[in-house]
Amino acid sequence: MVKVDLVVRNAQVFTGGELFSGGIAVKNGTIVAICRNELLPDAETVIDAENNPVLPGVVDPHVHVRDPGHTERGNFETETRAAAHGGVTTFLEHPISCPPPYSPEILEARVKSAEPQCLVDYAFFGAAGADFPQEVGRVAEAGIVAFKTFLHEAPEGREEEFRGLTMANDGAILDGFKAVAKTGLICTVHAENNDIIQRLIQQFRKEGKVGFPYHALSRPPIAEIETVEKLLRFARETGVRISFAHISTPEAMELVKQAKYEGQEVYLETCPHYLFLSDEKLLEIGPFAKGNPPLRSKESMKKLWDYINDGTVDFIGSDHSPFLLSEKEKGLTDIFTAAAGSPCIELTLPLMLTAVRDGRLTLPRAVELLSENAARIFGLFPKKGVLRPGADADFVVVDMKTPFEVSNENLLTHAKAIGVQYNGTKLVGRPLHTAVRGRMVMKDGVVDPEAKGWGQRLYPQK
């Protein structure tokens, strides 16, 4: 056999839905063979997996880098360094930036910022809002994988980050869905009822109720459940392909499950923090556990796992959201003033693999949720999301035997100061090596700084 560029041997390779004892051969960034160790060809570089699992690289469908615009929070280099550290080989960048990419020209500025910085591969969402409906078709033709929209006015002080990204009333939502439907692309929505939320926030502030619990109390489950129910109907009416981001309630998941049974094309994402953290964490660390939607009760959290295991949830997104420490700390005295979101791209894989160890889901289901399904749904499959000949050599070697304790000081994200939600948690599944198209962007837990710029922009396959 011809000498190849890279061989990983002595591995438990996840391929064809199960672990296979052997190794992987890589040539020109592509997997050319998965076979027993004795059949592997000679290679320029050989990695000994030491009998650890080799999994498809994570395809994270929900990331916020916000570059250009707010690089003080992190940029494409710092956050893709964190991605590589977490076994993420492809990420889908959501359209919160200054300004959001609601036109091809703005999108191109984001592309030019990402190209020289990214260590891992990436694709872009476009912004879909009521302000620039004439731009929806143009952005779709510029190579995005999906659209994203929010159902509220821009948050106070963040107007520029949300321009062209919101559909703030039902009429705007219907018009926006019709415009996106014409493109054939998915419209991803942040499904919370802004009228309910803003009314409650105003009431609580008037009463001086600005402590930690009031973030969750101002965004009750009904704000999500009612919105999902309405948007499913709007999607049926307009024919738009709809995806729900970061769903946090079992009732909303049940609505999506029923819509799927009835034949509607609808996709569902949830995030690790809704599966592993409850509203008790909000009471404990306040703004550092603040996200939208908020963390829910332990009972609600446990019920989400039913929908993880019955196939209702399509993929897991980290909703990686870096902010400055000062943007979180101001919520210590008024929870409503703190930025919402946390940097968590480095822990998604270990969290889910720990759940596999604990019997909460199977390894094949975890791989579907973390890699394969997002690649399929957003048009990146079969180059991404699986390990098989012909696919890109995107993989992560993980240590399932050695527990480690989470400390935000060990994170690589620029925003590690605020990434404290899981501190002290014991996990397994630490990524040891990460490869992107056959290049080892991380080896022995150390990210290669020379891999800056190795990441390539991805386009949906027709």
Side-chain angles (χ1 to χ4, degrees):
M1 185 179 287
V2 177
K3 192 172 187 179
V4 298
D5 302 322
L6 172 69
V7 155
V8 180
R9 60 171 59 253
N10 300 324
Q12 297 295 317
V13 182
F14 187 89
T15 184
E18 61 185 3
L19 292 173
F20 169 80
S21 294
I24 300 173
V26 178
K27 182 76 173 176
N28 297 326
T30 300
I31 297 173
V32 294
I34 297 176
C35 57
R36 297 196 306 271
N37 288 310
E38 62 267 24
L39 299 177
L40 288 165
D42 292 335
E44 297 290 340
T45 302
V46 177
I47 300 290
D48 186 347
E50 299 180 329
N51 207 39
N52 286 304
V54 179
L55 308 178
V58 175
V59 178
D60 192 333
H62 197 153
V63 174
H64 299 283
V65 176
R66 305 191 184 92
D67 178 359
H70 279 289
T71 53
E72 73 278 7
R73 297 170 179 165
N75 58 31
F76 280 116
E77 180 185 359
T78 64
E79 302 319 293
T80 60
R81 192 186 306 140
H85 193 231
V88 175
T89 54
T90 297
F91 73 98
L92 310 187
E93 171 67 7
H94 280 227
I96 298 181
S97 59
C98 287
Y102 60 79
S103 74
E105 293 77 16
I106 298 171
L107 177 64
E108 185 59 25
R110 299 210 78 192
V111 172
K112 287 182 178 179
S113 182
E115 280 178 345
Q117 296 192 71
C118 286
L119 285 78
V120 305
D121 289 351
Y122 54 95
F124 287 99
F125 276 43
D131 297 332
F132 307 102
Q134 73 279 5
E135 298 286 358
V136 168
R138 295 182 66 231
V139 179
E141 293 172 359
I144 61 171
V145 293
F147 284 96
K148 173 75 174 290
T149 194
F150 290 80
L151 310 180
H152 55 69
E153 302 290 352
E156 183 179 343
R158 299 180 66 189
E159 290 79 8
E160 188 64 13
E161 287 182 84
F162 281 81
R163 182 154 58 93
L165 184 53
T166 65
M167 302 177 188
N169 60 65
D170 287 353
I173 295 169
L174 277 173
D175 287 346
F177 278 13
K178 288 175 184 176
V180 175
K182 291 177 182 178
T183 72
L185 292 176
I186 289 169
C187 188
T188 296
V189 292
H190 179 127
E192 287 188 288
N193 185 305
N194 192 56
D195 293 340
I196 292 173
I197 292 166
Q198 291 306 315
R199 185 176 180 85
L200 285 169
I201 289 174
Q202 290 170 12
Q203 289 176 353
F204 288 146
R205 277 187 151 161
K206 188 176 180 180
E207 297 166 2
K209 297 175 178 177
V210 295
F212 298 170
Y214 293 98
H215 173 61
L217 293 172
S218 70
R219 309 179 91 95
I222 187 62
E224 178 176 273
I225 298 162
E226 180 275 337
T227 304
V228 169
E229 189 169 29
K230 177 177 70 177
L231 294 184
L232 285 168
R233 181 169 294 278
F234 280 18
R236 287 195 297 270
E237 178 71 21
T238 60
V240 77
R241 303 167 65 208
I242 191 169
S243 179
F244 290 100
H246 47 49
I247 291 301
S248 64
T249 60
E251 295 89 348
M253 289 189 178
E254 180 64 27
L255 290 168
V256 173
K257 179 178 180 177
Q258 293 304 318
K260 289 185 175 194
Y261 281 159
E262 293 166 8
Q264 186 169 356
E265 186 176 0
V266 52
Y267 302 104
L268 175 60
E269 171 196 275
T270 194
C271 306
H273 38 282
Y274 302 118
L275 298 171
F276 297 96
L277 301 176
S278 74
D279 53 7
E280 292 181 3
K281 184 61 70 170
L282 177 65
L283 299 180
E284 178 188 341
I285 61 174
F288 298 97
K290 179 182 175 180
N292 297 334
L295 299 176
R296 306 297 185 184
S297 68
K298 276 189 174 180
E299 180 183 9
S300 179
M301 177 183 70
K302 290 176 182 176
K303 287 181 180 178
L304 296 187
W305 285 93
D306 293 338
Y307 299 93
I308 286 286
N309 285 304
D310 72 6
T312 301
V313 176
D314 292 292
F315 41 80
I316 302 291
S318 68
D319 198 4
H320 179 75
S321 301
F323 288 101
L324 297 175
L325 181 61
S326 59
E327 293 177 291
K328 284 292 191 178
E329 285 183 330
K330 61 185 179 181
L332 294 171
T333 53
D334 181 347
I335 194 64
F336 298 118
T337 64
S342 301
C344 41
I345 197 168
E346 294 169 73
L347 294 175
T348 298
L349 180 58
L351 284 164
M352 295 304 293
L353 291 179
T354 301
V356 170
R357 181 203 62 184
D358 294 343
R360 303 178 80 175
L361 78 166
T362 65
L363 180 60
R365 180 65 178 138
V367 172
E368 286 179 352
L369 290 164
L370 294 170
S371 303
E372 184 174 344
N373 285 357
R376 286 182 181 276
I377 290 164
F378 293 105
L380 306 177
F381 185 88
K383 298 297 286 183
K384 305 295 185 184
V386 290
L387 298 181
R388 68 186 192 190
D392 284 352
D394 294 354
F395 59 81
V396 55
V397 183
V398 296
D399 182 355
M400 292 294 289
K401 296 171 285 194
T402 310
F404 70 98
E405 184 173 313
V406 176
S407 169
N408 66 301
E409 290 301 318
N410 296 326
L411 301 177
L412 298 189
T413 171
H414 186 69
K416 69 178 184 179
I418 70 168
V420 299
Q421 308 93 308
Y422 297 101
N423 275 3
T425 305
K426 299 280 190 5
L427 300 176
V428 295
R430 183 201 293 271
L432 301 173
H433 314 293
T434 303
V436 176
R437 285 176 287 105
R439 176 168 181 165
M440 303 307 299
V441 296
M442 183 178 75
K443 188 175 179 181
D444 296 320
V446 178
V447 175
D448 179 8
E450 298 300 316
K452 177 182 177 182
W454 176 253
Q456 291 184 353
R457 184 187 175 190
L458 306 174
Y459 298 82
Q461 298 178 34
K462 302 297 183 182

